[in-house]
């Protein structure tokens, strides 16, 4: 079964677009962390303590709003 490329969400009637399933690289390479820390002249890596090692992650089909969520839409 093929999913529609766009949908209108039930809650706020916003247009959402299909993001097809697939692989993406998640996390950051540790060598890149070292470069950024050096560039920012930070001691250690406090900015990146929550970063995960780089890995390939597979995700399912999903939808995302086409436009940014405004404050009034969020409210």
């Amino acid at each position: 079964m093929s999913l529609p490329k766009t949908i209108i969400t039930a809650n706020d009637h916003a247009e959402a677009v299909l993001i097809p399933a697939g692989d993406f690289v998640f996390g950051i390479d540790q060598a890149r962390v070292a470069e950024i820390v050096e560039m920012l002249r930070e001691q250690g890596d406090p900015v990146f303590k929550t970063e995960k090692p780089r890995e390939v992650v597979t995700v399912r089909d999903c939808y995302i709003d086409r436009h940014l969520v405004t404050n009034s839409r969020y409210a």
Side-chain angles (χ1 to χ4, degrees), residues 10-63:
N11 290 346
D12 61 1
H13 308 287
E15 183 180 19
V17 294
L18 176 66
I19 306 299
D23 294 342
F24 77 98
V25 178
F26 178 75
I28 188 168
D29 182 63
Q30 292 303 307
R32 183 68 182 131
V33 169
E35 290 173 15
I36 294 169
V37 168
E38 176 63 27
M39 180 182 70
L40 297 174
R41 302 196 190 306
E42 295 283 339
Q43 296 298 317
D45 63 345
V47 175
F48 299 99
K49 285 203 181 291
T50 60
E51 289 292 339
K52 306 260 184 197
R54 185 172 254 186
E55 64 180 308
V56 175
V57 177
T58 302
V59 295
R60 301 182 307 188
D61 293 323
C62 64
Y63 287 91

Side-chain angles (χ1 to χ4, degrees), residues 3 7-8 10 20 27 33 42 45 54 59 67 69-70 72:
L3 294 171
I7 61 170
I8 302 299
V33 169
E42 295 283 339
D45 63 345
R54 185 172 254 186
V59 295
H67 302 285
V69 176
T70 62
S72 61

